[in-house]
Amino acid sequence: MMRLIRRKRSFLLVAILGIIFDQLTKYIVVQNFAEVGDTLPLWQNVFHFTYVINTGAAFSFFRGQVDILRWISLIVSFILVIFVWHSPKITLLEQLGYGFILSGAVGNGIDRFLFGYVVDFLDFRLINFPVFNVADVAINFGVVILLICSFTASSKPERKN
């Protein structure tokens, strides 16, 4: 069991640190903004911290479907843990990718279970992008890492014995 944990520790470390960082940043936003909708321009009309609550998924899809989304995030989290835990050979890069995705799913899942919504605050106004949070960044970062893994794995020629 300990050998298995050592082999998967990068996955666990990234997931745990990502969850902590996500929850810490959301806590800081909630504690430092008086009310939802308040904004702090870091670069006027380009990047702001804006306190928003989101009852939907990414980009506010499925708005108001909190019950479904909380269970989806829980199920996805369990599937990711089981998949990584039982994968006989998983590269370090794959561990990192799955760890980032798990941290984002759990981070937003915690918000959905505790509050019924997700706290978003990263507001790129230059490109009129929806407000998002650290968990969303982690999920996207994890997906990019796994895409890189899939392209590098498929681009290597197979050796014939």
Side-chain angles (χ1 to χ4, degrees):
M1 179 69 158
M2 287 307 291
R3 213 171 100 209
L4 183 62
I5 290 173
R6 277 195 296 272
R7 286 190 307 172
K8 311 291 181 172
R9 74 174 148 219
S10 297
F11 165 72
L12 293 172
L13 184 64
V14 166
I16 291 167
L17 291 176
I19 293 165
I20 291 169
F21 186 61
D22 172 66
Q23 291 298 300
L24 181 63
T25 57
K26 291 172 181 174
Y27 177 79
I28 291 168
V29 167
V30 170
Q31 293 302 310
N32 289 289
F33 285 87
E35 58 188 47
V36 174
D38 285 352
T39 190
L40 171 66
L42 299 178
W43 184 357
Q44 189 67 41
N45 297 320
V46 176
F47 180 69
H48 292 221
F49 283 158
T50 303
Y51 179 23
V52 175
I53 59 173
N54 181 358
T55 60
F59 312 118
S60 296
F61 289 134
F62 304 108
R63 178 171 280 157
Q65 302 294 317
V66 177
D67 289 334
I68 293 168
L69 292 171
R70 69 172 48 130
W71 293 108
I72 288 173
S73 65
L74 184 65
I75 291 166
V76 165
S77 299
F78 278 125
I79 289 171
L80 272 173
V81 169
I82 291 167
F83 173 75
V84 171
W85 210 255
H86 293 289
S87 293
K89 290 193 175 189
I90 186 166
T91 67
L92 174 62
L93 207 52
E94 289 169 328
Q95 287 184 51
L96 297 177
Y98 289 122
F100 278 114
I101 293 170
L102 179 63
S103 73
V106 171
N108 282 340
I110 289 170
D111 286 6
R112 287 188 181 106
F113 272 96
L114 293 180
F115 312 118
Y117 57 84
V118 172
V119 173
D120 289 332
F121 60 92
L122 299 172
D123 185 5
F124 279 101
R125 294 183 175 191
L126 183 66
I127 56 174
N128 197 25
F129 200 74
V131 181
F132 56 100
N133 60 42
V134 171
D136 299 331
V137 172
I139 291 169
N140 285 286
F141 196 60
V143 167
V144 168
I145 290 172
L146 293 177
L147 284 172
I148 290 168
C149 289
S150 69
F151 286 125
T152 57
S154 64
S155 64
K156 292 179 185 174
E158 287 187 33
R159 291 185 187 175
K160 294 186 179 182
N161 293 334

